[in-house]
Amino acid sequence: MFIISEVALASMSNKALIFDISTKRLKEDGHTDSDVSRIYAQIRGELSRAGFCDRIQHSVYRTTNGDGINSLIRLLQRKQEFPMFCQYKERIHWMGCDEYSDVTDAFDLNP
């Protein structure tokens, strides 16, 4: 009989990262709009490299490889590579999303 541990089950699921960056603090510290764009582009690349390849919204990315825990670990292991993001992050949420479903069309007024 094969028993799958909770950790194994958790690693076999898709996860999403939802984050906010304080553009207000960036501006207060003298950073330009170009700097802000560069930070978003850098974190997008790092997220993709770690396995968060599906961009759901501007600051929402999810895995599609069923390996959400390891994707988070890969991202955390590289945090020295994106220090501006780490410095100006407001909050970062990590959540399960295996039941993620796009219900956009349900809100159409004239389907």
Side-chain angles (χ1 to χ4, degrees), residues 40-106:
Y40 274 103
Q42 183 180 33
I43 195 61
R44 181 173 46 247
E46 291 293 340
L47 286 162
S48 179
R49 185 176 293 114
F52 293 91
C53 299
D54 186 18
R55 184 177 181 191
I56 299 171
Q57 209 173 28
H58 186 65
S59 298
V60 181
Y61 293 78
R62 75 179 182 116
T63 62
T64 57
N65 59 7
D67 195 22
I69 286 177
N70 286 319
S71 293
L72 179 62
I73 291 168
R74 282 189 294 274
L75 185 66
L76 291 171
Q77 287 173 335
R78 292 186 48 84
K79 67 183 173 183
Q80 301 301 327
E81 303 300 319
F82 45 96
M84 294 290 286
F85 173 83
C86 295
Q87 181 179 351
Y88 290 99
K89 72 189 177 319
E90 285 291 305
R91 64 183 69 71
I92 304 171
H93 294 272
W94 185 61
M95 60 175 265
C97 59
D98 283 328
E99 294 180 27
Y100 166 78
S101 181
D102 184 348
V103 296
T104 306
D105 291 343

